[in-house]
Amino acid sequence: MRFEPTEIARLYGRSRVGVVVHKDLQAVYVNDAYAKMLGRRDVKDFMAAPDMRQYIPPSFHHEAAKLSENYQSSTGFHGWKKVYNIRADGSPVWMEISDETVEWEDGSAVLTTAQMIDNGTTAMQVDHMLGRSFIGVMVHRNMTALYVNDSFAHLMGAKNASSFMEQPNVLRFIPKEHQSRAIKHVADILSGDRTGDRHRVEDLLDDGTSVWRDLTDERILWHDGKPAVLTTAHDVRDEVEMHDELVRAKSGLEAAVTEVIRMVPSAVAMLDSKLDVIHYNYEFSRLFGADGTAEDVEPVFEITALRDCYERLKAAGHGHATIDEMQTPSGRMADIRMNMMEGGGVMVSATDITDHKRKEEFLDTLASTDPLTRALNRRGFESAVSRLREIRHLKDKSWLFGLIVLDLDYFKQTNDTYGHSVGDRLLEKVAQVLRQALRDDDLVVRLGGEEFAVLLPSATAAVTKRIAERFASMIREIEVAVDKDGSTVAKITASFGATVGGEGRQKFVELADAMRVADRAMYEAKEAGRDQIKFKTLDEIDD
């Protein structure tokens, strides 16, 4: 398809859909909508610096250039995808784009259309949260990197994330004698046969040097819907080198050993054969010093757990042991490694993982909640229901629940009339209303689009109907200002389907069956004119 600049300006110049035509990632045409999506005042401001790489995160430069080259040399429509870009002011923007090869002047170019979306894919979230982290982060599948941040690239000897991704094969860093074991380890995590763990490895870099890393591996779903492995890495070369030196150290080198320990960034200590601390650094005193010790006084250490571990190590005849996720006297969490020393005693090294665990918890929260409404998503909902059910059984109580499914009426028409920003605020308001009207153990989930569900543990049919009526009344009162002075407001209603489930007197109703019943009732409410409530039981619907 051939386009002339005047023709494309006539077609897309005033469109609310962003449009850019580019060759080799250099823009040759944009409309105002696209320019403003990327934080530019207008087309003129955008075209003053037409290089589109400035809006692409460095981790994706190589992939973007490769795709652009492939598209220019091919023909036709290349599909839709979600991308994460950086505005002119450095803030993130998530967009859904389509690419199509077109004829432009004396050759081929890529015509890209773009619409902003409210949240990104796993790749975008990982890069936004951890792209600048000092912790090395890599996402990989079948020993091929799908994403790395700059910290991981530097750790593996690359200039930055973009240059690392030019050679994404990570198997080359693993010594040949360990490659088959590494491939099986990754395959087991991808298949779900093995949970991620923390371990230490030595990798060989391209320049022939080696690097020691402490790794954690976790199975995640990538943006293509397939499982991948999220790996975080700490550089522990200094700790390993120090440890090797200390194992060989003799009594005549104690002064030098003490100084080395003091300078190591990880928590390190030497315990004598009586298991008293004889050498330590500041990090160790911070983690294991008893509360109330003055700064100018020799610290008193609380190391009962370390002594217990040492006794087990000694009884088993092993030379080393680990304690994962130990709660230290300081309240911090640490991974502990212990090694027997020649002549008795033990070397202890501890890595403070508190901040790392918090990041893991944040990622887990992100994966279980809807970012717009802060309600649970389907994954978070299923997990929360499972926990509630287990708690009820532990307390010797029956598992009963009420279930309400609601769908906002004419929501697409509202979006089309007032715009998606107003629609998003309505969704946020609805979720807020639902949460405010519920008890602490009631659950609110956004099923998708404008559809929500509410689970009411222990609720009877009468209680479930009464709460659905309260929801309907509260939602009718929601107003969202459309213009600045608030003279025009958007309102909304909802259609409700309600049911009860669990271990009833007649028969057990699983959550999946209850969802099906409530969903059927909700559609009957829609068909009956909307803005009303229908209650049904499993016995009242056809199989």
Side-chain angles (χ1 to χ4, degrees), residues 406 433-434 466-478 492-496 531-533:
L406 62 134
V433 160
L434 296 178
R466 189 165 63 250
I467 292 176
E469 290 168 355
R470 188 194 312 167
F471 287 164
S473 177
M474 296 174 74
I475 290 173
R476 291 187 197 106
E477 295 175 2
I478 292 175
I492 200 77
T493 62
S495 299
F496 295 77
D531 189 20
Q532 55 185 279
I533 301 161

Side-chain angles (χ1 to χ4, degrees), residues 16-28:
R16 287 192 297 178
V17 176
V19 176
V20 59
V21 180
H22 51 96
K23 292 184 176 185
D24 302 321
L25 295 180
Q26 298 293 314
V28 295

